[in-house]
Amino acid sequence: MSERALGAYCYHAARGFLDHLLEELPERDRLDGELLTVSGPRQRVFWTRNVWLSPLLIEFSSVREAANKLRDIQRNWAPLPARLHRRAALIAEKLPPLPRRPRPFPFAVPDTPMGAFTLLDEGLMLASPSCSNPFPNGEFDFEEDHEGPPSRAYRKLWEALLLTGKVPRPGERCLDAGAAPGGWTWAMAGLGASVLAIDRAELEPRIAAMSGVETMKGDAFALLPETLGAVDWLLSDVICYPSALLAWVERWVASGLAKNIICTIKMQGADFDRATAARFAAIPGSRVVHLWHNRHELCFIRVEGDRGLGS
Ligand SMILES: C[S@@+](CC[C@H](N)C(=O)[O-])C[C@H]1O[C@@H](n2cnc3c(N)ncnc32)[C@H](O)[C@@H]1O
């Protein structure tokens, strides 16, 4: 054997959440660092940063041969050091460099395949030429704005928009629930949307004063489609139990009045409310992912024409 398809998928855990992924995938063939290999069809799990879609076992006798074998398959390979870190780094040095510099929002996500590899022993690697995430090991950074936004939460909204391939058009109507201090509102208004920002707390005054921004103080979940009417973007970053958010989202989905929905499902304490996450994921036309810029939370996406990147 020099190269052999594995007939499995490899699931790379979201940063800091290996325990949740182990809970989601109790039956596995291998565990290499944060990478779980599970044979059979692809499993729908939430706590991944990347899924290896076509893993191969590749034998090699030298660093040079390993790099040549990978390069013969394709250009882009992200090393995932689980063991033999030094040897993996030497192989990576012989491969073409990966684009790692921070990028301004929005940017065109490269559609060239992004592979990943890890060493199992001195002469054997696990490598997948195709992965679910277009970025190396799911990692990337935006060029940050250190003056405009009042919090760094806008990066997860930008990431969700980037992965769907859709940004709001000027004048589109947006409801931003749990908006304070105003990072998401800043991002949406900056793209030209007209934003109704609601929170129990005050938005930062300079965000509230942005053109196209209207603020409201109170309980976001009291804003229902029957009273508010149609919105192009329904957003929520409210800190609440996942089930409370689900009940609100289900009302909006049933009404047909929210064209696009992006919400953060915040997990409470150390727990992972798997049953509620699964109910979100079962909403037709939606997906639930852990974004690179998410913490102990998942992102619910239901966007018309979603390109589905990162899943
Ligand atoms: C993580 S912060 C939002 C950060 C914001 N997206 C940003 O980019 O700056 C969560 C917000 O949810 C608000 N919140 C909690 N429960 C709420 C509710 N029922 N209705 C409205 N806002 C609520 C909190 O006051 C807090 O400002």
Side-chain angles (χ1 to χ4, degrees):
M1 176 212 60
S2 162
E3 247 176 70
R4 180 169 70 81
L6 213 55
Y9 289 84
C10 302
Y11 304 82
H12 186 176
R15 182 173 44 172
F17 299 110
L18 177 61
D19 52 342
H20 288 345
L21 188 59
L22 290 170
E23 187 188 326
E24 290 187 284
L25 296 172
E27 310 224 332
R28 49 196 170 261
D29 305 358
R30 308 187 49 97
L31 176 62
D32 301 284
E34 296 185 332
L35 190 71
L36 283 73
T37 300
V38 184
S39 48
R42 183 165 171 192
Q43 314 265 327
R44 284 290 148 196
V45 289
F46 302 117
W47 297 93
T48 55
R49 54 155 87 184
N50 193 19
V51 181
W52 298 17
L53 303 175
S54 49
L56 309 165
L57 285 173
I58 303 178
E59 287 179 336
F60 60 95
S61 52
S62 67
V63 164
R64 179 176 299 279
E65 192 194 359
N68 286 343
K69 284 192 166 182
L70 291 176
R71 225 180 355 218
D72 284 348
I73 300 175
Q74 66 168 38
R75 181 191 186 279
N76 294 323
W77 291 96
L80 169 54
R83 58 177 73 82
L84 298 159
H85 293 213
R86 176 81 191 123
R87 197 162 168 79
L90 289 171
I91 295 170
E93 276 171 25
K94 294 199 176 305
L95 292 166
L98 296 174
R100 298 232 187 231
R101 67 189 158 72
R103 278 170 274 195
F105 177 85
F107 63 87
V109 178
D111 52 13
T112 44
M114 177 60 64
F117 72 95
T118 194
L119 299 192
L120 301 187
D121 66 36
E122 288 271 322
L124 184 66
M125 66 181 149
L126 183 56
S128 180
S130 56
C131 291
S132 65
N133 199 296
F135 303 109
N137 292 325
E139 296 174 22
F140 76 101
D141 290 310
F142 290 112
E143 268 177 20
E144 287 193 49
D145 184 326
H146 297 288
E147 269 139 44
S151 73
R152 297 176 82 210
Y154 68 95
R155 296 171 308 153
K156 61 191 173 190
L157 178 60
W158 274 3
E159 182 176 350
L161 293 172
L162 194 73
L163 296 179
T164 63
K166 215 167 152 192
V167 288
R169 285 197 300 263
E172 283 191 330
R173 188 171 187 228
C174 166
L175 171 62
D176 182 10
W184 286 30
T185 294
W186 170 87
M188 294 303 276
L191 291 164
S194 97
V195 186
L196 173 59
I198 178 158
D199 202 294
R200 290 190 193 282
E202 300 280 354
L203 260 70
E204 206 164 280
R206 65 194 172 79
I207 305 298
M210 280 176 81
S211 161
V213 174
E214 186 190 337
T215 60
M216 199 184 263
K217 206 167 168 198
D219 178 11
F221 296 147
L223 283 186
L224 296 173
E226 307 82 271
T227 45
L228 204 65
V231 295
D232 298 296
W233 295 88
L234 183 76
L235 308 180
S236 168
D237 197 23
V238 169
I239 296 176
C240 63
Y241 284 102
S243 52
L245 177 68
L246 177 67
W248 187 67
V249 165
E250 281 179 336
R251 275 185 86 150
W252 275 94
V253 170
S255 75
L257 289 173
K259 202 187 268 183
N260 304 293
I261 308 178
I262 297 177
C263 295
T264 308
I265 309 168
K266 309 238 180 209
M267 296 303 157
Q268 308 291 305
D271 291 344
F272 156 38
D273 183 347
R274 193 171 171 187
T276 304
R279 284 188 59 191
F280 270 105
I283 293 176
S286 77
R287 56 179 172 140
V288 174
V289 291
H290 186 272
L291 303 173
W292 176 243
H293 294 96
N294 273 148
R295 298 180 194 207
H296 192 211
E297 57 198 16
L298 297 170
C299 182
F300 171 78
I301 299 175
R302 188 173 190 264
V303 168
E304 282 184 358
D306 180 3
R307 283 173 65 193
L309 292 173
S311 286

